[in-house]
Amino acid sequence: MSFTDKFSQVINNSSYFRICFVICSFFQMITYLDYLSYVATGIAFFWGVYLIIRHYIIHSKFRKADYSVIFILFTVMSAATILVNIVSHPFSTAVSFFTLIVNLMYFYLFFCRLDEDIESIRKEIYKISKCIAILTSVCAAIGLILLVVFHRAIWLFDRSLIIFENRFKGIYINPNPMAFASVCGIISCFALRCKGFLQRVEESPVRLRWICICVALNGLSLMLSVSNSGLLLTCSFIFGLVCYNIFAGKKFKAGRTVVYKTSIFLLCCALVSVSLFGLRYVVNYVSGVLISGEPMVSGEVLQPTAEQYKSELQTADGTVTFEHINGTIDSGRIKLYKRGLNEISKHPVFGVGYGNIFYNGWMEKGKLFDYHNGYLTLAVSNGVVSFAIFFLFAVLLARRMTSVVFKLKLQGSSSVLPHMMCFIYAYCIYSCVEPTLLFYPSFTTLYFWWCIGSAYALVKNFEKTPQMVKN
C-alpha cells in the first residue's frame, strides 16, 4: 500500500479522528502545553469539517442517522439564531458559526457512527480509556511531586504551577479541569478491569496494582483540588452505580419493596456524600501537616490581599491552606444564573447567540463566556425552542439506553456499558454547575460526547443481538 493510500485511509477514518481530537484536547488543560494543544485541536477541527462534508453532505448519510430529524431541527434553529443576531459584531457572528460546526461534529462524528463495526468501536473505547488513565496518572504524579518539593506556587513567566487561588492544581491550568480529568482517569480504570469487555477486544486486564496507583494518584489530586463540581461528578457517578446495582434487572411488584429499595438507595447516597466530603477534609488536613506542619483546612475563610492573590497564597507566612478562595458554596454561580434568566426573558425564542455571550464576556468584561451551567448557556445562546429540541433528544435517548442497561443486568453481562451510562448521567448533573454541554471543543465536552457515542453504539449492538453479550 502506497503512502497516499495509507494517508487516505487514515484521513477518512472517523475513529482515528475521534482518538486524535479527544487526546489533543486533553492537553488544553495542561499549563503551557495548552497553546500547542489549541493548534492541534484547530487542525483536528478542519479534519472534522472534511469528514462532515465527505460523509454527511456529499454522500447524504445524515438521512440514515438516528434522530436525524431532531439534529436537523436543532441545526436550523441554530442557523436562525445566527441570522437573527447578524447585526452583532462580526467576531460574535464568526464565533456563533464556529460553534454551529462544532455542534455538528458532536452530533454526526461523535454520536452517529455510521458504517463503523462494533469491534472497532470497542477497540477505540479501550485505546482512549488506557490513554486517559495513563495521562491523568502521570500528570497527577508530577503535580504531587512538585507540591511536596516546593510547598507553594511556582511562577513561570506569567503563569503558575501547583497552586491556583490557594487550591492545588498541579500542572493543570485550573483546579476544576484537573478534578474532572482525575475523575475521568478513575472511571477509565473500570473499563481496563472489565473482563468481559477486554475479552472482546482481546486485551488482558491491567494489573490491579497499577489500577490502585492510578486511582490513588487521581483521587488524591481530586481531593486536594477542593473542587465542588469535581466532587459532585464523583458522587453522581457513584450514585449511578448504586442505583444500577439496586434497581436494574429487578421487577418490583410489591409497593413496600419499592419503598425499601428506595430507602436503601437514599441511605447509600447519604453515606457516599458524607464519606467523600469527610475524606476530602481529612486528606487536606493531613497533607497540610505532613507538607508544611500546618493544617491545610482553616476554620474560617481568609480574605486574600492583592499580593497574596499574586503569589497564590492565603496566609502572610506562605502557608497553603487549600481553603477555597470563594466563601460561598455556589462560588458566585447564583449571580450568573440570574443574569442568564434575565437574558432569556429578553430573547426567549432565538436567543442571543453564543458568539454574543463570548464576545460580551471575554472581550469586554473579563473572562466570563458562559453561565457555569450547560443548560442555561444553551437556552440563553439558542433560545428555548432549541433547548426544547435538545431536551427531547436527551429524553428519548436516555429512555432507550436505560432500557438496554437494565436488560444487561438481567443477563448478568460483564459489560463496560453500565459504567459509561453512569458517567453520562453524572455528567448531566455536573452540567448544572459547569458550562460543558455543547459549543466549544474542550476536553470535558468532547469526552462527554465521545462517551455518549460509544455507549450508544454498544446499545445498538445489543438491540441487534439481545442474547448474552459482554460488550
Side-chain angles (χ1 to χ4, degrees):
M1 185 182 293
S2 65
F3 172 79
T4 304
D5 293 334
K6 290 182 180 179
F7 178 78
S8 177
Q9 185 180 25
V10 171
I11 203 70
N12 292 319
N13 191 306
S14 298
S15 182
Y16 290 155
F17 161 77
R18 287 190 294 270
I19 293 173
C20 290
F21 210 4
V22 171
I23 299 304
C24 286
S25 67
F26 174 85
F27 292 98
Q28 291 179 6
M29 303 184 294
I30 308 301
T31 305
Y32 283 116
L33 290 182
D34 53 343
Y35 296 135
L36 294 176
S37 178
Y38 290 135
V39 175
T41 51
I43 295 172
F45 169 79
F46 288 105
W47 184 3
V49 172
Y50 162 76
L51 289 174
I52 289 178
I53 294 174
R54 184 178 188 275
H55 293 310
Y56 293 96
I57 296 179
I58 295 178
H59 298 292
S60 300
K61 289 185 178 180
F62 67 88
R63 296 177 182 176
K64 302 178 183 178
D66 296 337
Y67 307 104
S68 59
V69 174
I70 293 179
F71 294 160
I72 291 172
L73 287 175
F74 187 88
T75 302
V76 169
M77 288 302 302
S78 298
T81 295
I82 296 174
L83 293 175
V84 168
N85 295 282
I86 197 71
V87 294
S88 304
H89 192 280
F91 178 82
S92 301
T93 303
V95 170
S96 295
F97 181 76
F98 167 79
T99 57
L100 172 59
I101 302 299
V102 171
N103 292 341
L104 292 178
M105 287 184 186
Y106 294 147
F107 292 150
Y108 290 113
L109 298 182
F110 280 78
F111 178 77
C112 301
R113 304 191 179 190
L114 302 178
D115 302 331
E116 293 184 47
D117 62 277
I118 191 63
E119 296 305 323
S120 66
I121 293 175
R122 287 195 184 101
K123 290 179 180 178
E124 179 184 315
I125 295 172
Y126 175 79
K127 291 176 182 177
I128 290 185
S129 297
K130 192 171 184 178
C131 285
I132 295 302
I134 293 173
L135 287 173
T136 54
S137 299
V138 171
C139 291
I142 294 173
L144 292 169
I145 290 172
L146 291 175
L147 176 64
V148 172
V149 173
F150 293 97
H151 301 178
R152 59 180 294 164
I154 303 174
W155 282 89
L156 296 175
F157 302 103
D158 61 335
R159 305 178 74 179
S160 67
L161 295 174
I162 308 178
I163 304 297
F164 175 79
E165 294 183 354
N166 197 49
R167 299 160 63 194
F168 176 66
K169 71 165 187 171
I171 62 174
Y172 290 83
I173 60 174
N174 190 281
N176 287 332
M178 183 189 70
F180 179 83
S182 298
V183 175
C184 292
I186 294 172
I187 293 174
S188 295
C189 293
F190 284 86
L192 299 178
R193 289 291 297 178
C194 188
K195 294 181 180 179
F197 165 72
L198 293 172
Q199 288 175 5
R200 297 303 296 264
V201 296
E202 299 179 347
E203 297 286 350
S204 301
V206 177
R207 292 186 177 181
L208 185 59
R209 65 170 176 266
W210 293 113
I211 294 294
C212 291
I213 291 173
C214 174
V215 171
L217 290 171
N218 284 294
L220 185 56
S221 297
L222 171 65
M223 295 302 169
L224 293 178
S225 71
V226 200
S227 172
N228 291 329
S229 59
L231 208 58
L232 173 64
L233 179 64
T234 306
C235 288
S236 301
F237 175 74
I238 298 176
F239 294 167
L241 290 178
V242 173
C243 181
Y244 172 73
N245 284 284
I246 291 178
F247 293 103
K250 296 180 176 64
K251 295 181 179 180
F252 305 108
K253 296 181 179 180
R256 62 181 181 180
T257 304
V258 176
V259 173
Y260 172 74
K261 293 289 184 180
T262 302
S263 301
I264 294 296
F265 170 69
L266 294 176
L267 178 61
C268 290
C269 290
L271 289 175
V272 168
S273 301
V274 173
S275 299
L276 286 178
F277 277 96
L279 179 62
R280 185 172 75 175
Y281 183 93
V282 172
V283 167
N284 290 346
Y285 187 94
V286 173
S287 298
V289 173
L290 292 177
I291 292 175
S292 62
E294 295 289 339
M296 287 189 178
V297 179
S298 61
E300 60 182 6
V301 178
L302 303 175
Q303 298 299 324
T305 64
E307 298 239 346
Q308 290 167 349
Y309 255 124
K310 186 176 180 181
S311 63
E312 302 291 359
L313 299 173
Q314 282 282 53
T315 57
D317 61 359
T319 301
V320 178
T321 62
F322 283 9
E323 184 78 26
H324 200 300
I325 205 168
N326 196 310
T328 59
I329 193 171
D330 69 291
S331 298
R333 284 173 171 79
I334 299 248
K335 292 181 179 179
L336 296 181
Y337 299 163
K338 290 180 179 179
R339 289 171 58 180
L341 292 173
N342 183 54
E343 289 297 326
I344 292 175
S345 66
K346 295 179 180 177
H347 310 274
V349 180
F350 296 104
V352 301
Y354 185 75
N356 283 319
I357 298 176
F358 185 93
Y359 180 82
N360 292 330
W362 183 267
M363 301 295 289
E364 294 183 359
K365 300 178 182 177
K367 297 183 178 181
L368 171 66
F369 55 95
D370 57 68
Y371 292 96
H372 266 294
N373 183 306
Y375 307 101
L376 183 60
T377 302
L378 172 60
V380 174
S381 173
N382 287 23
V384 294
V385 177
S386 292
F387 177 82
I389 294 171
F390 186 84
F391 183 76
L392 174 64
F393 162 71
V395 170
L396 294 175
L397 183 63
R399 180 181 178 182
R400 182 175 177 182
M401 295 176 74
T402 303
S403 174
V404 168
V405 170
F406 269 58
K407 293 176 182 177
L408 280 172
K409 181 69 172 179
L410 281 171
Q411 292 186 357
S413 175
S414 178
S415 172
V416 73
L417 179 58
H419 302 114
M420 301 185 76
M421 284 294 298
C422 289
F423 172 78
I424 292 169
Y425 284 126
Y427 190 95
C428 290
I429 297 174
Y430 176 78
S431 293
C432 293
V433 295
E434 292 293 343
T436 48
L437 197 63
L438 279 171
F439 300 122
Y440 48 92
S442 64
F443 173 75
T444 49
T445 314
L446 284 168
Y447 189 81
F448 168 63
W449 279 97
W450 171 76
C451 277
I452 288 182
S454 301
Y456 185 61
L458 297 178
V459 165
K460 290 197 296 183
N461 177 65
F462 178 84
E463 291 174 339
K464 292 178 182 177
T465 55
Q467 65 273 16
M468 176 68 73
V469 292
K470 297 176 182 178
N471 274 333

